[in-house]
Amino acid sequence: MNIGLIIAGGSGNRMGQDIPKQFMHLDGAPIIIHTMQCFQRHPDIGAIAVVCLKGWDTVLQSYANQFNITKLKWIFPGGNTGFESIHNGIYGLKEAGCDDEDLVLIHDSVRPLLSQEIISSNIATCKAYGYAVTGIKCREAILESHDGFTTKTSIPRDTLIRTQTPQTFRLKNIINAHELAKMKGITDSVASCTLVAELKEDIEMHIVPGSEKNIKITTVEDLEILKALMHTSKESWVK
């Protein structure tokens, strides 16, 4: 089975709003519902699980019922960090009886414009190679700064990948990664792909082409960009 594991455990403090960003409404529905609908629509997704901010699980279930998210099977408690939330999600799936070979598509709750093509590519790539990470080649010139104000060093962009989600693993593999992390004292890697890299087990992760539309909502400005993207379409003359 292919499972969409949506990570919604954050409080969204950087947004400075009264409610967590994943529950903010846009175009008649909470952002997290737009995200869940991406997985709900995909024919190869068998179930959805959400790692939810503590105290918001009832709200989430009510919204899922309202918007007919029938694939939502499990809601797990969020952790204090994204790393802990992913940990809670994958071990929750294991305890719920999911199979070791099930594919888990770990996705940010605040990336609501995830395309069906990216989901399909993640599934196909993970089935073929065991690991799939959505990413985009870096187009910008990159400078290194230690204080955020000054720089002397540029970093070649040719080999750099900006990662997105989903990041897809067989359940047994991502659990093994978390078990190894515990043994090695890794407690707060910023993403599942960085965790696998930090383990230094020589595991080759395969990159799935992402999209600039697969935006992650972090700031108020991102909300404005998201709303614009939701109401635009490709010009007919563009090839």
Side-chain angles (χ1 to χ4, degrees):
M1 180 167 61
N2 305 316
I3 304 166
L5 177 61
I6 299 172
I7 308 302
S11 57
N13 290 332
R14 281 176 290 180
M15 287 287 288
Q17 304 301 307
D18 295 330
I19 63 172
K21 58 189 175 181
Q22 59 268 39
F23 290 100
M24 294 173 63
H25 278 242
L26 196 64
D27 269 26
I31 289 173
I32 191 170
I33 289 296
H34 290 293
T35 303
M36 294 170 74
Q37 285 172 336
C38 299
F39 291 96
Q40 175 73 27
R41 288 194 297 267
H42 199 285
D44 294 332
I45 294 295
I48 297 171
V50 178
V51 181
C52 186
L53 181 64
K54 293 175 182 176
W56 286 81
D57 51 334
T58 302
V59 175
L60 174 65
Q61 185 64 66
S62 296
Y63 279 137
N65 295 342
Q66 178 183 352
F67 290 94
N68 200 32
I69 307 296
T70 58
K71 292 182 181 179
L72 177 62
K73 303 300 181 187
W74 308 282
I75 299 175
F76 305 120
N80 294 321
T81 64
F83 181 83
E84 288 184 10
S85 289
I86 293 171
H87 181 278
N88 291 355
I90 60 176
Y91 281 86
L93 291 174
K94 182 68 173 177
E95 292 171 8
C98 293
D99 191 89
D100 283 346
E101 297 297 322
D102 284 344
L103 268 56
V104 182
L105 290 80
I106 302 172
H107 187 65
D108 299 319
S109 65
V110 287
R111 289 188 189 269
L113 294 184
L114 173 64
S115 71
Q116 300 293 280
E117 292 77 14
I118 291 176
I119 294 176
S120 294
S121 295
N122 265 264
I123 292 171
T125 300
C126 190
K127 282 183 176 179
Y129 302 108
Y131 298 84
V133 176
T134 308
I136 298 177
K137 288 185 177 180
C138 188
R139 299 188 180 99
E140 297 86 354
I142 301 295
L143 299 176
E144 182 180 29
S145 176
H146 295 285
D147 60 11
F149 298 100
T150 60
T151 180
K152 295 180 180 179
T153 308
S154 68
I155 300 174
R157 66 186 178 185
D158 296 344
T159 61
L160 298 181
I161 298 294
R162 294 161 44 210
T163 64
Q164 301 180 333
T165 61
Q167 299 175 7
T168 305
F169 310 85
R170 289 189 173 89
L171 181 58
K172 65 178 181 183
N173 289 341
I174 190 62
I175 286 180
N176 286 342
H178 277 252
E179 289 294 318
L180 276 172
K182 188 187 303 182
M183 292 170 55
K184 295 187 176 188
I186 300 171
T187 59
D188 196 16
S189 194
V190 297
S192 295
C193 61
T194 58
L195 170 61
V196 172
E198 287 168 28
L199 292 174
K200 300 187 184 303
E201 295 290 313
D202 199 30
I203 295 170
E204 192 170 67
M205 292 176 281
H206 285 252
I207 298 165
V208 170
S211 168
E212 297 289 356
K213 292 182 179 180
N214 189 21
I215 182 175
K216 181 179 181 181
I217 307 306
T218 304
T219 67
V220 172
E221 185 180 45
D222 294 332
L223 272 177
E224 297 170 5
I225 295 170
L226 172 62
K227 190 169 184 179
L229 287 171
M230 294 177 77
H231 291 277
T232 190
S233 59
K234 188 169 72 173
E235 295 285 350
S236 59
W237 56 267
V238 176
K239 294 181 180 178

